[in-house]
Amino acid sequence: MIPTKEEMYAALEERHGKELQKKLNDASVAVCGLGGLGSNIAVALARAGVGRLHILDFDKVDISNLNRQQYFAEQLGMSKTDALYDTLKRIAPYCDIRKDCIKLNEDNIPELLADADIIVEAFDKAEQKAMLVNCVLENMPEKYLVSGSGMAGIAPSNMITTKRVTKRFYICGDGVSDVEDGMGLVSSRVLICAGHQAHAVIRIIAGEFDI
């Protein structure tokens, strides 16, 4: 039996406290890219009780995704937006989730992400990352932006950090590793970086800012 909205909110409030949970409930976060980073970030934010999530990707679930992304074998072939939407609704049935199966570009980013308080960059490819980061910084300077850079291989976990680059721009990762350099993407290390990004979002919502 699914708990009521009031019961679920009360459970989160007990964990986080009234003040923080209200801030989380009132927040709006866009997650751009729903692969190893984005799917795990979205799950963490849904579990934390973020009130509005906007998930965006144009890809479909592939068997190669199952080692590190929040998808299941029976979801193969589904759009990632549809598959993750179903999972998030099972976790947080009262979360206001908007999904867009679309490829982001410089022309559609300002309109698609206009309603988000915080934008999360979670793309796989360097050129996509740079495009989104540059577009947001240049055209939407009032937005908070949390990006990921460097989480490949099996290097030590503590190499992954969160850095505040500017007042509203954060980068999480080791800053050096690349999927082309060796082993590729391992679920545990990708999850660590995703956790850094999700936690950076939660700290921003809470009004706690890294130096």
Side-chain angles (χ1 to χ4, degrees):
M1 183 176 178
I2 298 176
T4 66
K5 183 176 182 179
E6 291 72 23
E7 288 171 334
M8 293 197 73
Y9 188 91
L12 288 167
E13 193 177 70
E14 184 177 356
R15 288 289 181 187
H16 300 150
K18 289 185 177 181
E19 183 179 355
L20 175 55
Q21 194 52 52
K22 185 178 188 310
K23 290 180 179 179
L24 290 166
N25 187 66
D26 292 343
S28 176
V29 181
V31 181
C32 305
L34 304 179
L37 291 176
S39 62
N40 283 294
I41 293 165
V43 165
L45 296 178
R47 291 194 185 282
V50 170
R52 289 172 290 159
L53 288 174
H54 186 184
I55 55 175
L56 306 97
D57 202 309
F58 66 94
D59 206 0
K60 292 184 178 181
V61 181
D62 181 80
I63 193 169
S64 65
N65 303 148
L66 299 182
N67 83 311
R68 67 194 183 282
Q69 303 181 18
Q70 288 289 340
Y71 302 107
F72 303 94
E74 62 268 24
Q75 293 177 318
L76 292 177
M78 291 179 65
S79 69
K80 287 186 176 181
T81 47
D82 286 344
L84 190 60
Y85 179 90
D86 291 346
T87 300
L88 295 175
K89 277 297 185 180
R90 292 178 67 186
I91 293 168
Y94 307 108
C95 181
D96 180 3
I97 303 172
R98 175 184 169 191
K99 57 180 178 175
D100 276 306
C101 186
I102 191 170
K103 187 171 185 177
L104 290 171
N105 57 55
E106 294 176 354
D107 294 327
N108 61 24
I109 284 171
E111 181 179 357
L112 283 169
L113 305 184
D115 293 337
D117 303 318
I118 303 168
I119 296 167
V120 179
E121 178 280 306
F123 289 139
D124 294 329
K125 296 181 179 179
E127 60 270 23
Q128 292 177 314
K129 289 176 174 290
M131 181 274 299
L132 177 60
V133 167
N134 290 336
C135 187
V136 172
L137 292 179
E138 291 174 7
N139 300 293
M140 311 170 79
E142 78 285 0
K143 304 290 187 184
Y144 283 96
L145 174 63
V146 179
S147 181
S149 178
M151 72 291 304
I154 57 170
S157 303
N158 289 343
M159 288 180 63
I160 294 177
T161 61
T162 299
K163 296 180 180 179
R164 189 182 186 189
V165 181
T166 67
K167 184 178 180 181
R168 294 177 181 266
F169 178 33
Y170 292 70
I171 294 182
C172 305
D174 61 30
V176 293
S177 67
D178 188 273
V179 67
E180 303 296 334
D181 293 338
M183 181 175 292
L185 297 168
V186 179
S187 59
S188 52
R189 204 159 189 265
V190 172
L191 183 60
I192 292 166
C193 188
H196 270 261
Q197 287 187 259
H199 196 59
V201 170
I202 290 170
R203 282 178 53 79
I204 292 168
I205 293 170
E208 298 288 339
F209 304 103
D210 296 332
I211 297 174

